Every structure is written in structure tokens, then in C-alpha cells.
Amino acid sequence: MHWLEVADSTNTRCKELARTGAPHGTVIIAGQQTGGRGRMGRSFSSPAGGGVYLSALIRPKVKPEELMHLTCAVGVAMCQAVEAAAGLKPNVKWINDLVVRNRKLGGILVEMGFLPDGTVDYAVIGVGINCCQQTTDFPEELQSIATSLALEGADCAREVLAARMVEALAKLDKLLISDKAALMRRYRRLCVTTGNPVQVLCQSASREAYAVAVLDDGSLLVRYPDGQEEAVHSGEVSVRGMYGYI
Ligand code: BTN
């Protein structure tokens, strides 16, 4: 386990360690990130003393298609970690956001590397959870959509949250492949996106749709107003609620 006072991005550091042979189970935690990254090239606000910024390296000997559910499975594990640490039950917004009261509590960024034969060399599981931030600690544009455990009245030391996150990931490691169906069932129960109208955002274009279901591979089945259905994948699109962030 590596602890860094400041990192640009724990995912970037963890990928470097992965490429130089670091073992399965390596974890990096930073007290602050200067270049915290989110999905689809977005940034992740990571002020000093605010949240837990953690990346874990796993090296499952599987084909990439067997890890399509990884982000969802980590979402389930992180909801359990937050509940164990702070007594608060978050939900998930497809695919990788932890949410409380319609606000973003944290996010997950999974990045993978592959061997020449196409199998998985490593997966870096990056998780950021807002813990101690007050509203003004967030950049202005996030102040109406972000929250933290402290803002939700669930005070919790970052060390305790970090410990529960690592425990939850260690538990997940044992079940990731064998318990895929159960993990996806739990994810569907936690997901607040399905059953609601959404905007499907693809680069600069946006289309209205209805979120029907999360499929076994973690993709989101949406229905457009003309009745056409499509499974959208997290690498290509993100979704927003029609009337706000959720
Ligand atoms: C998102 O909101 O789209 C995902 C955010 C993931 C943030 C975590 S913080 C630890 C790790 N390092 C990063 O640069 N990103 C992830």
C-alpha cells in the first residue's frame, strides 16, 4: 500500500506501477490530487483533506469480456464501504457515480492494460469519495451537484473510509468473477437511472431517451421516443437526468 501526500492522479501512478510489474493488490491513496481524472476526459475535484482518492491494482487472469461488469461491481462494493464507514446508504447513477440525495458523492474510473494475446494484464480501479468537503470546497460549477459525507451529516474520518474501501475491494476480489450475476442484481437495485427519462450524451450531441434496464455487461438499455431501443456503453456515452444531474 502506497500513501502519497499529493499525486497528480492515483490512477496514473497506479498504471505506472502496473507497467513495471507491481503485484495484484497494490493500493495507492493520495491526500490530494492535482489532476484527478474522471470518465470521458472529465476532471475529478480532489482537494487536500477533502476526500479519499484511491487506486487499486488487480491482475485477474481473464479475457476483457469477463470484466465488463467491473465498474458496476466496484459501485456495489463502494456503496457497502460507505455504509460501513458512515452509516449512509448511497445509490448509483449509471454507470460510475455514487449518489446521495440526487447529488454526486463520488466516482469510479476503471482503466485496463492488455497482454499481446489480448488477455487482461491489469485493471486499475480508481475511486474518489467526497468525505470532509464543505460546499465552498467544491468548484463553483459543482456546488449544486456534489455532496460529501460531512455535508450529509455523516461525519467520518478519511482513514476509516479508506480502510472500509480497501476491505470492500478485497472482498470483491474474491467474488468478482464467480458472483457476477449476484453483483449485477445488487447493482440494479442500487441504480437510480433506470425507470427515468435521460439525456444520452455522445460527444456534443444529446438525445432524449428512457432508461429501461442495465444489462449483464453493464451497458444501459435506453428507448428513444420513436420506440427504438439501444444498449449504450459507458465508453461512448454518459447520461444525465432530463431535469438535473440524476
Ligand atoms: C468520475 O467521476 O467520472 C470518476 C472519478 C474517479 C476519481 C478517482 S479519484 C482516485 C482515482 N484517480 C483519478 O485520477 N481518478 C480516480
Side-chain angles (χ1 to χ4, degrees), residues 197 199 240-246:
Q199 296 172 57
R240 281 279 151 88
M242 287 297 290
Y243 310 107
Y245 159 69
I246 297 280

Side-chain angles (χ1 to χ4, degrees), residues 124-224:
V124 166
I125 298 168
V127 188
I129 300 183
N130 302 326
C131 190
C132 307
Q133 289 99 325
Q134 295 302 315
T135 306
T136 50
D137 295 327
F138 292 110
E140 214 171 304
E141 65 279 12
L142 297 182
Q143 289 183 3
S144 60
I145 55 172
T147 192
S148 68
L149 293 178
L151 285 169
E152 297 303 320
D155 277 324
C156 166
R158 284 180 305 147
E159 298 86 321
V160 174
L161 177 60
R164 297 293 95 82
M165 289 164 70
V166 172
E167 278 169 12
L169 288 172
K171 215 160 130 187
L172 176 65
D173 182 37
K174 299 199 176 68
L175 306 173
L176 183 63
I177 305 297
S178 60
D179 272 20
K180 178 180 166 183
L183 287 163
M184 289 308 294
R185 270 198 302 276
R186 268 179 242 151
Y187 182 86
R188 289 184 185 104
R189 281 202 293 270
L190 292 168
C191 185
V192 292
T193 307
T194 44
N196 285 306
V198 290
Q199 296 172 57
V200 178
L201 308 167
C202 182
Q203 285 154 2
S204 55
S206 159
R207 260 184 104 178
E208 288 177 22
Y210 174 80
V212 179
V214 176
L215 304 181
D216 285 345
D217 65 357
S219 60
L220 182 71
L221 184 68
V222 296
R223 187 182 309 127
Y224 296 108

Side-chain angles (χ1 to χ4, degrees), residues 30-182:
Q32 177 188 0
Q33 293 185 120
T34 53
R37 297 186 286 109
R39 218 163 54 81
M40 304 191 77
R42 300 192 183 113
S43 61
F44 185 79
S45 165
S46 315
V52 173
Y53 317 116
L54 176 153
S55 298
L57 171 65
I58 60 169
R59 291 189 180 278
K61 305 252 168 299
V62 296
K63 296 194 182 120
E65 5 350 334
E66 290 177 72
L67 288 184
M68 303 284 268
H69 66 305
L70 180 56
T71 300
C72 297
V74 173
V76 171
M78 292 304 102
C79 285
Q80 289 165 349
V82 169
E83 188 177 355
L88 192 79
K89 291 185 181 188
N91 286 95
V92 290
K93 169 183 172 290
W94 186 86
I95 182 170
N96 66 324
D97 285 350
L98 303 189
V99 296
V100 176
R101 271 195 321 120
N102 289 354
R103 285 171 179 249
K104 178 162 172 163
L105 179 73
I108 297 160
L109 176 65
V110 169
E111 298 182 284
M112 292 196 206
F114 304 98
L115 293 168
D117 68 359
T119 58
V120 174
D121 181 16
Y122 64 83
V124 166
I125 298 168
V127 188
I129 300 183
N130 302 326
C131 190
C132 307
Q133 289 99 325
Q134 295 302 315
T135 306
T136 50
D137 295 327
F138 292 110
E140 214 171 304
E141 65 279 12
L142 297 182
Q143 289 183 3
S144 60
I145 55 172
T147 192
S148 68
L149 293 178
L151 285 169
E152 297 303 320
D155 277 324
C156 166
R158 284 180 305 147
E159 298 86 321
V160 174
L161 177 60
R164 297 293 95 82
M165 289 164 70
V166 172
E167 278 169 12
L169 288 172
K171 215 160 130 187
L172 176 65
D173 182 37
K174 299 199 176 68
L175 306 173
L176 183 63
I177 305 297
S178 60
D179 272 20
K180 178 180 166 183

